[in-house]
Amino acid sequence: VGSWVSMAREIQCTEVWGGVTACDVSVKLAGLRGECFSRPYRGAEAGGDIHFLSVCGLTILSKIVLADVSGHGEETASISRSIHDALIANIGAHDNSTMLQQVNETFLGRAREGDPVRFTTMVSMILDSRDRSLVYAYAGHPSVLRGHASTGRFAPLEAETRRLSGIPLWILPGTSYEQQTVTLDPGDVLVVYTDAFTEEIGTDGSRPGDEGLARLLESSPTMRPADLKEHVLSAYGAGFADDASLIVLEVL
């Protein structure tokens, strides 16, 4: 379908939920609840953004992956479906670095066999709901923004250690991806997004970047995921010049 579908989804143990098509869904995972929005470019049935959510480890661990294939719309859909399949094949990998390395090598092999190369950015996160520790790694993806429940301020997650962006997938063989760990607080919010939200050109000709998106989130009347999602989408209006995906999750 070309439009997104509203629904509620509680993700069960060992279940994989996600895809490459449009959605506008409330989700609940182990230790997290929130919203997942994705809209392929120009209402296409599928696009180059991949959202992947799962719960495992006896409903203790939640895995969140968001990826963005270069290009947009139907021209990238077959590749994004293949990446989603690769994520499913690696569902048992509880190490973000290993998973990113394996997916990178898989698709570099496909490129050597003649498939077109489309570099892909990805962020992978695993939350342990027992202590709210979050382990995350980037492959060239935009920064995850953390909203602090204590202050209402949003900032890039890796700013608490050091900025790590990694190299996008499908560029270099043997690439390693460093992961970091941070402990979150109840009520904190994680905002994961593709670059449509930071690269969209505004009426003044500028791009908001992650700092602009953070300031927009801070201007929301509440930190409830549904309110944050609607506040951001209303600011961007009807359309994006790319596939657009936004995941907003509250820490329980």
Side-chain angles (χ1 to χ4, degrees):
V1 294
S3 59
W4 63 94
V5 178
S6 294
M7 58 181 294
R9 161 59 86 174
E10 182 170 355
I11 298 169
Q12 305 298 320
C13 186
T14 73
E15 179 184 7
V16 173
W17 182 85
V20 302
T21 57
C23 72
D24 190 358
V25 184
S26 296
V27 294
K28 188 175 188 302
L29 301 92
L32 297 165
R33 65 184 173 198
E35 302 290 320
C36 182
F37 169 89
S38 188
R39 183 188 295 173
Y41 180 59
R42 290 186 174 177
E45 181 177 354
D49 288 356
I50 306 105
H51 52 280
F52 177 95
L53 307 175
S54 69
V55 174
C56 50
L58 299 176
T59 319
I60 293 171
L61 303 177
S62 290
K63 180 183 287 187
I64 304 97
V65 180
L66 187 61
D68 184 1
V69 179
S70 59
H72 46 244
E74 288 289 351
E75 67 179 2
T76 62
S78 64
I79 295 173
S80 58
R81 289 189 183 99
S82 295
I83 292 174
H84 188 260
D85 290 343
L87 292 172
I88 293 175
N90 284 279
I91 188 174
H94 294 161
D95 180 281
N96 298 295
S97 300
T98 300
M99 187 274 290
L100 288 170
Q101 290 169 13
Q102 290 175 345
V103 173
N104 186 50
E105 295 304 320
T106 295
F107 283 89
L108 281 169
R110 288 179 52 136
R112 287 191 290 268
E113 294 169 2
D115 283 359
V117 175
R118 287 189 178 275
F119 77 84
T120 300
T121 68
M122 186 178 292
V123 56
S124 179
M125 308 187 297
I126 299 173
L127 177 83
D128 188 325
S129 62
R130 295 169 296 185
D131 60 4
R132 298 184 300 278
S133 60
L134 183 78
V135 183
Y136 62 96
Y138 293 98
H141 200 82
S143 303
V144 175
L145 295 175
R146 175 187 180 181
H148 292 261
S150 59
T151 64
R153 300 298 302 273
F154 283 80
L157 191 62
E158 71 276 22
E160 297 178 30
T161 52
R162 57 191 176 92
R163 191 172 184 86
L164 298 168
S165 58
I167 299 174
L169 307 176
W170 273 15
I171 292 181
L172 291 174
T175 300
S176 60
Y177 297 93
E178 186 175 356
Q179 61 180 8
Q180 295 290 307
T181 303
V182 63
T183 300
L184 304 172
D185 297 321
D188 282 357
V189 173
L190 298 172
V191 180
V192 196
Y193 52 94
T194 53
D195 61 8
F197 289 92
T198 54
E199 296 296 319
E200 189 78 10
I201 299 176
T203 55
D204 61 354
S206 65
R207 291 179 170 86
D210 55 13
E211 290 185 0
L213 180 56
R215 301 294 83 78
L216 175 60
L217 289 161
E218 290 173 0
S219 68
S220 170
T222 81
M223 287 184 66
R224 292 180 59 247
D227 292 341
L228 288 167
K229 180 198 71 175
E230 293 302 329
H231 184 72
V232 170
L233 292 178
S234 65
Y236 283 87
F240 292 89
D242 197 356
D243 305 307
S245 295
L246 177 71
I247 300 173
V248 185
L249 298 169
E250 179 186 3
V251 179
L252 301 177

